[in-house]
Every structure is written in C-alpha cells, then in structure tokens.
Amino acid sequence: DEDYRYRIQNSLRSLNQANIDGVLAVARSVQGVSDVMCYQAQDGAGTFTLYVQGITPITSDEVINNVTLALYQECATPWCDFNVCKPDYLGVSLNINLTLATTTTVTNKEQFAATIKTSIESYINNFNGTDLYFIDLKRQVLNLSSDIANVDITSCTIYRGIDQFRESETIDLA
C-alpha cells in the first residue's frame, strides 16, 4: 500500500540522517565523485564540511552542486548545517634540465618537451598519495625514452590555489 511505501522510504532516509557514514555514502554515490572527506563540527555543533574530489583533476562546480542537492534530498534536517567544497588545489611549476643522447635530433627534442610536460602533468594530476617525491618524477621522465640520459629538477614553485597570483613557495633544489 502507498502509506507503507512512504514509511519505508522515510525510514531509509532517516538512516542516512543518523550518522556521518550515511552522509558519506550519499555523497559518494553521486556520479563524478571520486572521494569525499568530512570534517565534523567545522562551524559548530551539528555542522560538517565535505570536501569532494571529482574523477577529474579539478572538481567541477556541477559535481559540487549535485552532491549538495543529493544531501539536501537524502540527509538534510532542520538542525543540521553543512557545506560542500572543492579541495584546495596546488599549482606546481618545475624547471627541468635534460641530458639527451647525442643522436637525438631537434625534432625529437621538441617532441620530448611536449611528451615530458604531458607525462608530468598526468602523473601529478592523478597522484593519490600524501608525499610527492622528485625521484618519482625523474623516473617518470626517464621511462619515456631511452634517448633521455639524465633528468635534473632544478627548481620547483608551489602555488597555493589554482592561480599563480597567490602567495607561492619556491623550493630551490640547486
């Protein structure tokens, strides 16, 4: 009967409201979400902030809006306040010196530059660890071609946020 279905639906919804695991399950079920981190009581008792990582390197506003909508539909209560945010992004600028084999042509050098840039960007954008080591970046580049004899990362600048006009921190590796 219709009343019974209504009560089942509300009881399932109340399970999602009951704890943070339900909130995380709802957020992770949204299409385009890779992972979700939750910080409880961020803005006081009964509040939480979700940081949503999308399946792309930079989480889209659409994914954030879809997670927010899903939470309002499944978990929201009058006494619970929440925020859904993108993670803080870091921009990275690297200076790299390459030593190439003597048989490498000018055309190959230009191709190497583009291939190396794409490879490093892909590696960093898909990095899921906690510590990024330069030796791993060097290995990534060295594995691209036998024509690459050596790689030296001479400097690294880390930008807070996705724009390069924010405060930055330069790491001198020389």
Side-chain angles (χ1 to χ4, degrees):
D1 105 304
E2 196 63 35
D3 182 54
Y4 184 65
R5 279 192 214 112
Y6 177 77
R7 286 185 291 149
I8 290 174
Q9 184 179 19
N10 281 343
S11 68
L12 292 174
R13 182 173 288 166
S14 69
L15 289 175
N16 285 337
Q17 294 172 354
N19 61 33
I20 204 64
D21 291 333
V23 170
L24 293 173
V26 169
R28 288 181 177 137
S29 71
V30 173
Q31 184 176 2
V33 173
S34 170
D35 196 15
V36 179
M37 293 181 62
C38 181
Y39 294 95
Q40 294 180 325
Q42 187 99 356
D43 296 321
T47 68
F48 60 90
T49 300
L50 291 181
Y51 289 91
V52 177
Q53 177 61 52
I55 56 175
T56 58
I58 296 181
T59 305
S60 70
D61 291 335
E62 181 181 5
V63 169
I64 298 298
N65 292 338
N66 289 343
V67 170
T68 302
L69 181 63
L71 290 174
Y72 276 124
Q73 289 174 344
E74 296 294 325
C75 303
T77 62
W79 56 87
C80 183
D81 184 35
F82 62 87
N83 294 311
V84 179
C85 307
K86 297 177 185 181
D88 293 329
Y89 296 107
L90 296 176
V92 178
S93 174
L94 298 171
N95 289 326
I96 298 174
N97 288 333
L98 292 177
T99 305
L100 301 174
T102 56
T103 58
T104 307
T105 65
V106 172
T107 305
N108 286 352
K109 290 178 185 178
E110 292 171 2
Q111 286 178 327
F112 279 137
T115 303
I116 289 168
K117 181 178 185 242
T118 302
S119 176
I120 289 175
E121 285 175 351
S122 176
Y123 182 81
I124 291 174
N125 287 340
N126 294 305
F127 182 74
N128 288 322
T130 55
D131 296 321
L132 179 67
Y133 295 101
F134 291 124
I135 190 69
D136 295 333
L137 290 175
K138 289 174 76 169
R139 280 190 203 117
Q140 185 76 19
V141 173
L142 286 169
N143 289 336
L144 291 174
S145 171
S146 59
D147 285 343
I148 301 173
N150 192 24
V151 178
D152 288 319
I153 301 174
T154 58
S155 70
C156 175
T157 304
I158 300 173
Y159 302 98
R160 294 171 188 10
I162 58 174
D163 65 69
Q164 295 185 356
F165 299 106
R166 294 189 184 181
E167 178 185 342
S168 61
E169 176 182 333
T170 301
I171 302 170
D172 187 9
L173 305 173

